[in-house]
Amino acid sequence: MEGTVSVPLRFAPLEPGCYPCKILLVSRYDVRVYVIEGIVNEEKPEAKLFFRTPAFEAVTQNIPIKNETKTPWKFQVKIEGEWFSGPRILHVGPGKTVEYPLTFNPILECEIMGKLTLQNEVDGMARVIEIVGIGTKPRALDHIVVNCEVGNVTDKSIIVPNYTKSHLTFEVTSDLSIVWGNSHITIDPGKSVQYILHVCPWKRGELTGAITFSVKCKNEKDPQDKEDQETDTSSQDTSSDISTIISEEYSDEKVKALKIWYHLEIHSSPGPPVDTVEVQCIALETTYIEIPISNPNNKILQMNVKLTSDFLDGPEELRLNPLECAKYIVWYSPASTGYKEERYGLAKNSNVLLKLL
């Protein structure tokens, strides 16, 4: 440019930091001062932080930022890495130490590499921290307890969320043969769906297991699955908290490992007796009772027998071939006179009340 001249200046810092400088130009007619400041950032991250947590469980690390100057600092924060989150602006007063909360909240098993950059607007210095997030196998999202009776169907409602911003179709599986429901459900982004679980136990006692919702596909709805949706299934808004809602679309490759599971605890009580048999017997003598049993199925039926009294005796197991009818014999040997009610149960939907005279 005409009327100007370039002044060569060489800047060769040996280490990171802030280098203020003044250049004084003096002539017979003018005096000029130029203030120059050199900012040198680290070539490598200052530190490396590791986060490890089960999927759907957030973990927060507080990173201390200390301001030893007499000037208030304001940082612009940039976070690189999926499922990492934190405030976008950080203020640190003179002589103060403020902890920056960085949160990692994965929704599936993964290993994420990222970077946290805190850019100081006052002196231009940037602090860079390398961050590594490891999402492990998720714990059960909830503990579901079902109280039911043998042979009767009990319905249990389960709320299943979609924490992503994608339409997801889940395949439903369980390790318990006595529970069932829709084989697939589709959930809109950021919504939750009420899933109806049917439970029909075939024996008394307590059973434990799990029901799992695994991502089948994205942005695809199976017409058959849509027809199978139950009439009382409803969508509900889930929390829009930034720590739980993922604000971007994910590919099938990324969400195929997404699983949500619930722990099931089933308490099965005996149902009402299917029949009542009255028996008369003299004390210290023995009589027997014949109970007709049939197998209506086309496969072999293996049943366990439970007797509730020491005065009753009979085989502990009963095996019936397909479509076979048989008689189960119970021996009764009372030790005293009187009236008693006892039960014997078969582990396949049978329960008989014995009135012993």
Side-chain angles (χ1 to χ4, degrees):
M1 182 182 297
E2 185 178 354
T4 62
V5 62
S6 298
V7 178
L9 179 65
R10 184 173 179 266
F11 180 52
L14 299 178
E15 60 184 21
C18 180
Y19 297 86
C21 175
K22 292 182 179 180
I23 300 178
L24 178 63
L25 300 180
V26 181
S27 70
R28 294 176 58 185
Y29 307 103
D30 196 4
V31 176
R32 297 185 182 183
V33 178
Y34 293 87
V35 178
I36 300 176
E37 188 174 52
I39 305 297
V40 182
N41 293 314
E42 290 274 7
E43 292 184 3
K44 298 181 179 179
E46 298 180 11
K48 188 174 184 178
L49 296 178
F50 288 87
F51 296 75
R52 186 182 184 90
T53 181
F56 300 106
E57 294 187 25
V59 60
T60 299
Q61 174 67 52
N62 292 317
I63 305 171
I65 305 297
K66 186 175 183 180
N67 180 4
E68 296 180 342
T69 70
K70 296 182 179 181
T71 305
W73 284 353
K74 179 182 179 181
F75 289 92
Q76 293 290 340
V77 183
K78 180 181 179 183
I79 302 175
E80 300 176 41
E82 293 171 344
W83 302 308
F84 283 100
S85 63
R88 298 302 178 184
I89 296 178
L90 178 67
H91 294 272
V92 184
K96 301 290 185 179
T97 299
V98 176
E99 292 185 336
Y100 179 83
L102 181 63
T103 299
F104 179 60
N105 188 15
I107 64 171
L108 48 82
E109 295 181 62
C110 60
E111 182 173 347
I112 304 297
M113 308 294 292
K115 185 169 61 174
L116 171 67
T117 304
L118 296 99
Q119 185 75 44
N120 194 336
E121 292 185 352
V122 177
D123 59 13
M125 289 290 294
R127 299 189 178 187
V128 180
I129 299 175
E130 185 178 350
I131 50 180
V132 180
I134 299 175
T136 60
K137 182 180 179 180
R139 296 191 179 100
L141 200 61
D142 197 2
H143 184 85
I144 308 296
V145 178
V146 182
N147 296 306
C148 51
E149 286 188 351
V150 173
N152 294 328
V153 178
T154 301
D155 293 340
K156 186 69 175 182
S157 175
I158 301 176
I159 302 300
V160 184
N162 177 5
Y163 288 138
T164 74
K165 289 297 182 181
S166 302
H167 290 275
L168 297 181
T169 295
F170 291 88
E171 182 178 5
V172 187
T173 57
S174 177
D175 56 358
L176 294 176
S177 60
I178 63 172
V179 304
W180 73 94
N182 288 341
S183 59
H184 297 87
I185 59 171
T186 299
I187 309 178
D188 293 333
K191 302 287 185 177
S192 62
V193 163
Q194 180 177 259
Y195 180 84
I196 302 301
L197 180 69
H198 309 292
V199 182
C200 184
W202 49 269
K203 65 179 181 180
R204 72 183 73 184
E206 295 185 4
L207 295 175
T208 59
I211 182 170
T212 304
F213 299 82
S214 306
V215 169
K216 176 187 176 184
C217 57
K218 184 173 75 69
N219 295 329
E220 178 181 348
K221 292 187 177 181
D222 191 332
Q224 183 176 357
D225 295 339
K226 185 176 181 181
E227 293 177 2
D228 290 340
Q229 292 291 333
E230 307 209 8
T231 56
D232 56 352
T233 298
S234 60
S235 295
Q236 302 174 2
D237 289 332
T238 57
S239 172
S240 59
D241 192 298
I242 190 172
S243 63
T244 58
I245 295 298
I246 309 305
S247 59
E248 60 179 280
E249 294 277 347
Y250 290 103
S251 63
D252 290 337
E253 186 67 25
K254 287 186 178 180
V255 299
K256 68 180 182 180
L258 176 58
K259 291 184 179 180
I260 300 173
W261 70 281
Y262 299 80
H263 184 266
L264 297 178
E265 181 179 337
I266 298 174
H267 299 269
S268 175
S269 59
V274 297
D275 197 2
T276 300
V277 179
E278 292 189 0
V279 180
Q280 293 186 4
C281 181
I282 300 175
L284 302 180
E285 293 190 1
T286 300
T287 188
Y288 68 90
I289 309 144
E290 292 184 345
I291 308 295
I293 304 295
S294 63
N295 178 13
N297 301 319
N298 291 321
K299 59 182 180 179
I300 296 176
L301 186 63
Q302 186 77 28
M303 294 184 290
N304 299 323
V305 182
K306 183 177 181 180
L307 300 171
T308 63
S309 172
D310 294 335
F311 302 145
L312 299 176
D313 188 24
E316 295 182 353
E317 294 183 352
L318 182 63
R319 177 188 174 94
L320 293 178
N321 293 319
L323 306 178
E324 180 184 4
C325 295
K327 290 184 178 181
Y328 179 80
I329 298 178
V330 183
W331 295 92
Y332 175 49
S333 302
S336 61
T337 61
Y339 175 86
K340 297 180 181 179
E341 288 189 0
E342 302 290 351
R343 293 175 182 265
Y344 91 92
L346 299 175
K348 195 66 179 177
N349 292 349
S350 293
N351 191 23
V352 177
L353 174 65
L354 303 179
K355 293 186 176 180
L356 307 176
L357 307 176

